[in-house]
Amino acid sequence: GSQAMTTLEQNRSLAEIYRQLDTVRMRRWSVDLLAGAAAVVAVACLTLLAVSAGVGYLPGQPPAALRWAILAVAILAFSAAAWWFLLRRAFRRHNRAQAARFVEQHLPRLGNELINSVLLARDDEQASPELVALAIEEAARDSRSVDLLSSVSLRLSMSG
């Protein structure tokens, strides 16, 4: 009776926490990609500007070998920027524990409740399942009053 109810409540509360963390993970991934795409566009524009300025100082048509070398450097710069700023971010996935830690670092009033809930839920050898259930329920209740998505901002993404 009581054990089944505790487990049911724990599962509901845990599912709620997981939903919130998954939303944060998706927002963080989307903002990272947006910031990466902006960086790639900036590198492409700067590369085009540098090539235009450099070629503009040459009298007449540059030799074919120089044009090919400039094209190769421009493609290399764009490819490196695409890899560094966009593709690495596209394939980087944060797990729920990392998302919980990220949220708690940016919203300190939450304390360590989210990360504790995620880690306690993983632990198969809990000393007191009732206390774990209460801790998870408290974390779920406290996280309802906070907009966890506010931990993710474009400003943070550009720096990290």
Side-chain angles (χ1 to χ4, degrees), residues 4-86:
M5 187 61 177
T6 302
T7 303
L8 183 62
E9 271 306 308
Q10 177 181 346
N11 289 342
R12 273 195 204 126
S13 297
L14 193 58
E16 181 181 349
I17 290 170
Y18 282 174
R19 264 192 312 279
Q20 290 177 317
L21 291 176
D22 289 345
T23 303
V24 168
R25 289 168 61 205
M26 192 64 202
R27 171 77 61 91
R28 191 171 173 202
W29 183 77
S30 299
V31 169
D32 275 353
L33 279 187
L34 181 63
V40 170
V41 168
V43 167
C45 290
L46 288 173
T47 301
L48 184 60
L49 184 64
V51 167
S52 298
V55 171
Y57 284 111
L58 297 174
Q61 180 79 345
L66 181 58
R67 289 193 315 258
W68 282 108
I70 290 171
L71 177 63
V73 168
I75 289 172
L76 184 63
F78 180 77
S79 300
W83 166 255
W84 187 258
F85 294 114
L86 196 59

